Amino acid sequence: MEIIVTTEKRPSPEIIEEARKLARKFSAPFVVRRHNTIESLKKRYGKNVLVVADEGLILHTLKGSKLFFHPGLLKIRLLNYLKTGKEAMIEAMDLKEGDAVLDCNLGLAQDAVLSAFVSKRKVVGVEKDPVIAEIVGRGLKSYIPHGKLSVARDAFKRVEVHVGDNRDFLRTLPDDSFDVVYFSPMFVKPRWKCDVMQPFREVAVKDFLEPETLKEAERVARRRVVIKINRGVKDLFPFLKDYKLQESATNVEYIYKKVE
């Protein structure tokens, strides 16, 4: 992702220094904000704009969306799980307390946090885009859930963020390293508009699983490999024929393979 880095309009010296550090980290231009608007910066540089502010990192996309760390639909999913004891992703994983989960498409970490809540242990997440990883990594550390979501406070802290290609990461791991290896690649053909996910969709890496990656996952997993897809996608990829469908009441499907 191509970005420039700037600050909020009236930054403290600490914010300015932090913005300069991030610009160096991403080999991106640092632009003094002054009275420049975000729109004028996007027009001048033709890149997404990462703003460093007191409240955290905010990515302004070229298409006009704002990406920042937030729990999104996690609260609804978590409360439903607490009420019913059921959640399609958790059932597809057959997830139990103490299980080790590797999330190979971390994204905004909502699936990883829910996994960490149920497993009561660290979840390792891999995110390919370094800017998204930075936003999410910082958000997981600083976000304080309130109200009914506060029961998951520790789960946010138990997600460990790694930057890189998931296949490369899997290749570094020994056999049977995790109980569950999980994928949630960007949907091939999204069938509904989700305002919460739209900013992420605009800038995220859009590549589906390849057979070689899946083979690595099946080697690394002790029990299951699970993939989140949209309905009908499984039939488009013959290498998924051995994966079973976990019924879901939502617009997504989870498929899994036992590798015991």
Side-chain angles (χ1 to χ4, degrees), residues 69-75 77-78 81 87 89-90 93 95 101-103 105-125 136-137 139-141 143 145 149-161 182:
F69 182 79
H70 58 85
L73 300 176
L74 174 63
K75 181 177 179 179
R77 294 173 65 191
L78 176 61
Y81 173 74
E87 211 281 334
M89 182 193 76
I90 300 303
M93 291 179 173
L95 193 62
V101 177
L102 171 63
D103 187 332
N105 299 102
L106 182 63
L108 295 179
Q110 295 173 19
D111 292 337
V113 173
L114 184 56
S115 299
F117 177 78
V118 175
S119 69
K120 301 293 188 292
R121 65 174 295 178
K122 179 179 72 176
V123 170
V124 176
V136 172
L140 287 165
K141 292 178 181 178
Y143 181 76
L149 191 57
S150 61
V151 297
R153 185 169 297 175
D154 291 342
F156 283 84
K157 312 302 180 188
R158 288 199 294 267
V159 179
E160 181 178 286
V161 181
Y182 175 72

Side-chain angles (χ1 to χ4, degrees), residues 51 130 137 164 175 197 221 240 256:
V51 175
D175 296 354
M197 290 299 295
L240 298 177
Y256 67 90

Side-chain angles (χ1 to χ4, degrees), residues 21-256:
K21 286 180 181 178
L22 282 176
R24 291 193 293 269
K25 181 175 183 176
F26 298 131
S27 299
F30 169 73
V31 179
V32 178
R33 181 69 181 271
R34 295 194 178 93
H35 298 294
N36 293 308
T37 66
I38 296 299
E39 288 305 312
S40 68
L41 291 174
K42 287 194 290 187
K43 184 175 182 180
R44 186 188 310 169
Y45 292 93
K47 297 179 181 181
N48 303 298
V49 179
L50 182 65
V51 175
V52 182
D54 278 332
E55 63 267 30
L57 302 181
I58 305 171
L59 181 71
H60 295 259
T61 73
L62 283 171
K63 293 185 178 181
S65 297
K66 290 194 294 185
L67 179 67
F68 53 92
F69 182 79
H70 58 85
L73 300 176
L74 174 63
K75 181 177 179 179
I76 296 173
R77 294 173 65 191
L78 176 61
L79 294 182
N80 184 65
Y81 173 74
L82 290 173
K83 181 179 180 180
T84 66
K86 295 183 178 181
E87 211 281 334
M89 182 193 76
I90 300 303
E91 291 182 68
M93 291 179 173
D94 189 31
L95 193 62
K96 301 176 178 63
E97 185 172 336
D99 284 347
V101 177
L102 171 63
D103 187 332
C104 288
N105 299 102
L106 182 63
L108 295 179
Q110 295 173 19
D111 292 337
V113 173
L114 184 56
S115 299
F117 177 78
V118 175
S119 69
K120 301 293 188 292
R121 65 174 295 178
K122 179 179 72 176
V123 170
V124 176
V126 183
E127 170 54 47
K128 193 169 186 176
D129 187 279
V131 177
I132 293 175
E134 188 75 26
I135 293 171
V136 172
R138 291 180 179 224
L140 287 165
K141 292 178 181 178
S142 63
Y143 181 76
I144 302 175
H146 299 284
K148 294 181 178 179
L149 191 57
S150 61
V151 297
R153 185 169 297 175
D154 291 342
F156 283 84
K157 312 302 180 188
R158 288 199 294 267
V159 179
E160 181 178 286
V161 181
H162 292 260
V163 182
D165 178 81
N166 52 28
R167 190 195 306 180
D168 293 341
F169 189 83
L170 285 163
R171 284 173 173 165
T172 68
L173 301 173
D175 296 354
D176 303 325
S177 299
F178 290 83
D179 294 291
V180 178
V181 177
Y182 175 72
F183 295 92
S184 54
M186 189 62 69
F187 291 157
V188 177
K189 294 181 179 180
R191 297 182 179 181
W192 71 97
K193 182 179 179 180
C194 178
D195 292 337
V196 172
M197 290 299 295
Q198 186 58 32
F200 177 72
R201 178 173 292 281
E202 289 177 14
V203 295
V205 176
K206 300 173 182 64
D207 50 5
F208 195 67
L209 274 168
E210 295 184 358
E212 293 79 7
T213 306
L214 210 51
K215 288 179 182 178
E216 288 294 325
E218 292 169 5
R219 177 187 62 79
V220 169
R222 282 190 288 269
R223 292 204 344 262
R224 290 194 180 197
V225 176
V226 179
I227 311 169
K228 182 201 296 188
I229 56 175
N230 58 1
R231 296 188 185 278
V233 165
K234 179 178 182 290
D235 296 333
L236 300 177
F237 299 94
F239 62 86
L240 298 177
K241 61 182 176 59
D242 294 333
Y243 279 69
K244 297 181 179 180
L245 175 65
Q246 173 66 48
E247 293 295 337
S248 171
T250 68
N251 289 316
V252 302
E253 294 179 336
Y254 296 90
I255 57 175
Y256 67 90

